[in-house]
Structure formats: C-alpha cells, structure tokens
Amino acid sequence: MARNKRSREAREAVVEKVDGGLAELIPDRDRPRAWTLLVDGAPQSHVDLDDPAYLNFEYQRRIGHIADLVAPPGKPIHALHLGGGAFTLARYVAATRPRSTQQVVERDTALVQLVRRELPLDPQSRIRVRGTDAREALAKIADGWADLVVADVFSGARTPAHLTSTEFLTDVRRVLKPGGYYAANLADGPPLAHLRGQLATAAALFPELALAADPAVLRGKRFGNAVLLGSDRELPVAELTRRCAGDPHPGRLEHGRGLKDFSGGAAAVTDAAAVASPAPPPSVFR
C-alpha cells in the first residue's frame, strides 16, 4: 500500500522556486515516468526516465539527430552541454552512446538540485554537472576536448548576450576536436534579425553550416526554435534532411547557397554589440 501511495504522489506536479524563477515539473500523463520542466511558464525540457532516448521537443529531436551523426553509431563521444535544464540531451547521448564522457553546465544551481532530486541521473552515465556560467566553464575546457558542443542556454526565455558573439564561438571552436559539431538552439520570430545575425556569426568561425527549423519559423510566420549546426568538415546534409523531414513535426533543413541567401547579408555579432535574443510573445506558451 505504501509503495502505491508513493507512486501516486510521485505523479503530482512539483513546484519550486529556483534561481531563474518558478520551476515546475509536470507529469506526462501518457508516459508513466516522464516529466516536462517549465521555468516561469516556459517549457525547458522533457525527460522520460524509462526511455531517455525519447525526445519530445522538436528542437531537441533535431539536436538528437546531430548527436547521432557526429560519430559512428554507438561510439562513445566527449560532449559539452552549455545549458542543463533537466539534462535531456545528456541523458540521450548516455543512452545512445554508452561510455560517453559528458559535462553539463547549468548556472542555476537550485534548478540542478531540483532535477537531481526529482529526476536523478543514472550513476553510471558519466555525466558531470557544473553549476557555473556557460562561458566561464567553456574557458576552462581543454583545447580539442569535445566531439560535440551543444548550446541551449536561456535566461528568462532569452539567450544571454555574451553567448551570441564571435568571441564566444571562437572559444567553442577551440574546444572542439577537428571534425567536431557545434549545435545551438536559437529562438526568434519575425523579422528574424537575431537568427540572421547568429548565422553570420557562426559563418565567421565555421566553414560548414546548416539550419533546421519548422518551415513557418524560417518563413518568418511565427516565433519558434531553430537548430544551427556548425563544423569544419562536410556535413551529412542528405541524412539530416531526411531525419528532420521524418519527424512528427517535420522540419526543413537549409544549407549552402540557400542558407547564405537566408542570412540576408547580416553582420557577425561581437561582444561589444551583442544583445540577448528577443523575448517570445506571451502567446507562445499558452
């Protein structure tokens, strides 16, 4: 009886104040041990403790495709996650690439404590979580350590300005191994000035780029997420295109000339001119 009671109690929402606002863990009624993390009403992560390879959010599925293609299937990698949330993508890599070595950087230490308590990591997952600023942590990573760097940092639903510049991406490039992948979750809406600026910034550091998003976002019809992929090696464009198109919410992949045209001659962003990404309209989270 006590075990059943604890099970029922575990499916109640968990609401707690964290450094970044009010965090809520909402149970997924369709999956017995799955939860959605919201901070101040903005969805941050979805985790299924029974199936960490399941990615519910569109943009996380697209980053998952990138993680799948950074190395041969199942091969362990070194991954750095800037922005933790509920550690969804780190859990995904641990499940799909056992024995990978990963670092997660999440400045909100109260959020880290909440997630560790309510959605504990597998102690064998080789995931280290550090409670500090993403750029400060990045500066301490050894040259050429990472096969994959994921940038998914939001404060108040906006990417902080100091994580949008060429100086930031110069350090990302330093940390990546030759042939490594940089994947960034970018949020923007019409007229897409922030997204175009981020493309120009990435183009200053990475010779190979691709961008995946909902077609309506790329057309500037609505606010949403786009996933930017950068590397110094040729990208698996055909396979990424196929995977994004086959998602439950199909995405479009831009690359090459089409991506250059999309950027529209925007200028690269430096620290001196950097601003946070635009705030989403209130209707996005309703």
Side-chain angles (χ1 to χ4, degrees):
M1 179 68 70
R3 184 175 61 185
N4 291 338
K5 181 180 179 182
R6 284 197 300 270
S7 176
R8 288 195 301 270
E9 290 175 347
R11 296 304 292 168
E12 297 299 321
V14 179
V15 181
E16 196 165 300
K17 184 72 174 177
V18 296
D19 300 339
L22 189 68
E24 300 173 84
L25 285 171
I26 308 298
D28 184 333
R29 299 303 180 188
D30 297 323
R31 289 175 167 261
R33 297 184 70 222
W35 302 80
T36 298
L37 168 67
L38 296 86
V39 177
D40 282 346
Q44 301 289 324
S45 302
H46 180 278
V47 169
D48 188 336
L49 295 176
D50 287 333
D51 184 9
Y54 173 77
L55 298 176
N56 180 266
F57 290 1
E58 295 173 35
Y59 85 86
Q60 289 184 332
R61 287 182 64 87
R62 289 163 191 153
I63 296 177
H65 299 327
I66 291 169
D68 289 345
L69 298 172
V70 71
K75 180 181 178 181
I77 62 171
H78 286 186
L80 173 64
H81 303 265
L82 303 177
F87 320 144
T88 302
L89 290 164
R91 297 174 199 263
Y92 177 84
V93 171
T96 58
R97 297 183 177 278
R99 302 182 308 283
S100 290
T101 300
Q102 301 187 79
Q103 296 190 48
V104 176
V105 180
E106 173 55 62
R107 185 172 186 171
D108 193 330
T109 54
L111 178 62
V112 169
Q113 292 171 2
L114 170 65
V115 171
R116 279 189 177 280
R117 186 184 74 236
E118 300 295 335
L119 308 175
L121 288 166
D122 181 343
Q124 305 301 316
S125 63
R126 297 169 61 108
I127 298 171
R128 178 188 178 190
V129 183
R130 302 174 62 186
T132 187
D133 175 77
R135 193 152 160 184
E136 291 178 8
L138 182 66
K140 297 178 181 178
I141 304 294
D143 294 4
W145 181 83
D147 298 285
L148 174 66
V149 174
V150 176
D152 186 17
V153 183
F154 285 84
S155 176
R158 304 176 71 185
T159 302
H162 70 301
L163 304 180
T164 67
S165 66
T166 54
E167 290 89 344
F168 165 65
L169 286 185
T170 296
D171 222 16
V172 170
R173 183 73 189 268
R174 175 190 63 79
V175 165
L176 281 171
K177 296 177 183 178
Y181 284 176
Y182 168 65
N185 176 29
L186 307 174
D188 200 7
L192 299 179
H194 174 73
L195 184 54
R196 291 189 171 98
Q198 288 304 286
L199 285 171
T201 305
L205 275 301
F206 294 101
E208 299 292 332
L209 294 175
L211 185 72
D214 185 295
V217 173
L218 293 178
R219 290 196 301 268
K221 298 295 185 182
R222 68 173 181 86
F223 193 98
N225 298 85
V227 172
L228 173 66
L229 169 61
S231 184
D232 63 356
R233 65 164 154 134
E234 184 177 355
L235 300 176
V237 170
E239 181 62 16
L240 272 176
T241 299
R242 184 188 69 79
R243 290 182 180 223
C244 290
D247 280 340
H249 299 280
R252 193 174 89 210
L253 190 79
E254 290 285 358
H255 67 284
R257 184 67 192 183
L259 190 57
K260 186 175 181 179
D261 291 343
F262 177 82
S263 65
V269 177
T270 64
D271 275 344
V275 296
S277 65
S283 59
V284 168
F285 304 129
R286 289 177 184 169

